[in-house]
Amino acid sequence: MTEQKIVTRFPPSPTGYLHIGGARTALFNWLFARRHGGTFILRIEDTDQARSTDEAAQAIIESMQWLGLDWDAGPYFQSRRYDLYNRAIDQLLAEGKAYHCHCSPELLEEKRSAAKARGLKPKYDGTCRDLGLGPAPGSVVRLKCPATGTTHFDDLIKGPIRISNEELDDLILRRSDGSPTYHMAVVADDIDLGITHVIRGDDHVNNTPRQIQIYNALGVPTPYYAHVPMILGPDKTRLSKRHGAMSVLAYRDMGYLPHALLNALVRLGWSHGDQEKFTREELIETFSLENVGKSAGVFNLEKLIDLNAQYIRETSDQDLAGLLAPFLDAIGIRGVPARQLEAAVATLKPRSRTLVEMADAARMYFDETLAYEEKGDKKFLVPEVLPHLEDLARRLKVMGTFTEAALEDVFRAYLGERGIKLKEVAQPLRLALTGRTASPGLFEVMVVLGRDEVLRRIDRVLRHIEAKR
Ligand code: GLU
């Protein structure tokens, strides 16, 4: 027997941005397909015309691209596939597995209220089920569901799930305006696209028996189902906006690396021993649905920040410079030569947790209008330091190559001659060069700035101190 080729799908509804929960679902489907050499399909479920927007669809696609979740087919748009759904409905009608229902919304509402008043579950009572009615204005098409027995499936995560068919009423497949319903579209699509595994949030678990009944009526074997537990915030309530930014693009804009977010996402419900960090290849090699737990995953922003800081440190200067460029651009820093940007990045890497922080820290190198931190200005930019800064500037001007080692020699000699400690000149100089009292190592900073800029900044601080006298 040849092994079945695995086909998964991610079918977001474009009614909003791609959020953490959706991204995790996409990732699990993508990983499962990649793990098994299968196919991963993107489908946009835009049948709800009133709530779906092109912008949301675009933002979802952009989020997937940013995360590197590439798809092998699609994006399919449900709004362009009505023929497929209608063919399935017509087939069910022709085979007597679906029927036209003429009950008006008002009548149904009356029946629902009456059932509720008697303490019964409000479900369709099957009035039109066996009347053999044809289509009529305002009529809908319903599935003739089995009246007795059970519908069951073995969820790959939750185990066996069974529901009595008496709980389920004859669901609508085609609305009175002729449009197919959500369940009908999903099933027809999943069949058409050859989906073998449906991996989705467990908020869909109640939809599954209904969808299985449509498969059964169409005489098509059902796919495997894996319902992934929900995601909680650190306070153990369902993850929501209260817990911080929710959209993938917001995390991108806050300066997270896609790989850090991927690692945080995969750990929401899945684990592989105690391992916290995975390369893309490791994820593909080790991902399995057996290791998706039954309990909810907890999204922890602190952990994501830590992870991001680690990945920033591990990324090459060259790659980071590329990633940082749009963030610099956003704060008006443009046209920095690649070599200088890489050198700057190397000094900022150990101290930046996000690309936004890094861009902000990089400002000191490239922003010529550098302002001095007020407290430091008062404390360190005082007339006593003028002779030191003037003398050091003279030495820097004439020294040989402008490297960290050479700078160290120049400073050591100067401090020795004057009998002073580095700290007496370090803070004034740091303020002169960066505007701040905390920065990467002084010599590193000087090398990134280059000799001319260092001298220019010292000159500027000299005039600033003079002006205070
Ligand atoms: N469009 C549905 C959603 O965004 C997904 C349905 C499914 O996975 O079957 O929740």
Side-chain angles (χ1 to χ4, degrees), residues 91-136:
Q91 180 195 329
L92 292 171
L93 280 168
E95 292 173 358
K97 291 171 178 162
Y99 61 93
H100 295 280
C101 168
H102 292 196
C103 295
S104 68
E106 296 75 29
L107 181 64
L108 291 172
E109 190 44 52
E110 261 173 45
K111 288 181 179 181
R112 253 195 297 273
S113 314
K116 264 200 204 146
R118 281 187 286 137
L120 299 174
K121 238 184 148 179
K123 60 175 236 183
Y124 180 61
D125 64 0
T127 303
C128 300
R129 185 173 160 113
D130 297 309
L131 298 183
L133 299 170

Side-chain angles (χ1 to χ4, degrees), residues 9 11-13 43 45 182 186 198 200 204 211:
R9 80 312 193 255
S13 308
R43 179 171 82 222
E45 301 205 323
Y182 165 71
V186 168
V198 169
R200 60 187 174 192
H204 286 287
Q211 294 179 4

